[in-house]
Amino acid sequence: PQPGEAVDYRHVEAILLRRCATCHSANGLMGAAPEGYLLSSYAATLASDERARVVPGNAAASELVRRIRGQARPRMPYDGPPYLTDAEIDLIVAWIEQGARDTEGRLAPKPVGAKVRLHGRLDAHGKLDGLPLLIDTHTRLDDAPRPGAYVQVRGRLDANGRVRVERLRLR
């Protein structure tokens, strides 16, 4: 994108098709797309039928970003290294932070109520690699997760794109 121009799907599409859709497509290198997640189109990338992997406006809560950064295992692309460059990751993060716009510049709808499954390191303040989590008395804690541990978070997105944790466990 040009300076001051909003990032839209046109700017990230080539990265996703070249580095991700080789596996995350209907007939990828590994056969069917891993976990059924397709990255071969805008609609597929944003699909949240099973769970949201892109959270418009919140890259830190987006499984896609956590995987390409290596915060969640396995790091993607699976055939790396080489992994995505910092510039490629920054562009994908900017696209999501700016609302995951389509090729016409329209903001993606927020997947309110969608399930998420995130992995990462829990800190002493109940954050996942810096991502604030909404943990309350309804949150199921398994295996005594502690600060510094690699954990799995299962939850749902609220209207602000925050993760309301339903289950937190060691991985």
Side-chain angles (χ1 to χ4, degrees):
Q2 299 299 315
E5 179 185 5
V7 179
D8 66 38
Y9 186 69
R10 292 172 299 156
H11 300 111
V12 300
E13 181 179 28
I15 299 166
L16 296 176
L17 291 177
R18 181 174 35 84
R19 295 301 310 276
C20 307
T22 54
C23 292
H24 290 273
S25 61
N27 296 309
L29 293 176
M30 301 171 76
E35 296 187 16
Y37 186 41
L38 301 173
L39 287 162
S40 50
S41 71
Y42 177 76
T45 300
L46 292 178
S48 59
D49 300 339
E50 179 196 339
R51 67 180 188 265
R53 291 170 169 106
V54 170
V55 181
N58 192 347
S62 299
E63 183 180 357
L64 174 65
V65 170
R66 301 183 71 73
R67 295 239 185 228
I68 63 175
R69 282 182 172 162
Q71 293 170 308
R73 294 179 272 196
R75 183 170 185 176
M76 295 289 152
Y78 193 67
D79 63 352
Y83 296 108
L84 299 184
T85 66
D86 289 343
E88 290 170 323
I89 292 170
D90 290 346
L91 187 61
I92 292 169
V93 167
W95 172 64
I96 294 171
E97 284 294 329
Q98 293 177 25
R101 297 171 189 270
D102 65 13
T103 57
E104 303 299 318
R106 293 181 296 257
L107 295 172
K110 294 199 182 228
V112 177
K115 293 179 183 179
V116 292
R117 185 179 74 203
L118 306 173
H119 294 194
R121 296 255 172 235
L122 188 65
D123 73 13
H125 305 288
K127 294 181 179 180
L128 187 70
D129 300 310
L131 171 68
L133 300 171
L134 300 174
I135 300 171
D136 60 24
T137 57
H138 300 300
T139 302
R140 178 176 157 189
L141 301 175
D142 292 340
D143 307 320
R146 62 197 177 289
Y150 185 78
V151 298
Q152 179 187 72
V153 172
R154 289 182 184 241
R156 293 194 181 266
L157 296 170
D158 72 5
N160 296 312
R162 298 175 303 185
V163 178
R164 181 162 305 284
V165 179
E166 295 173 344
R167 183 178 183 194
L168 179 63
R169 67 181 180 139
L170 292 176
R171 285 305 289 162

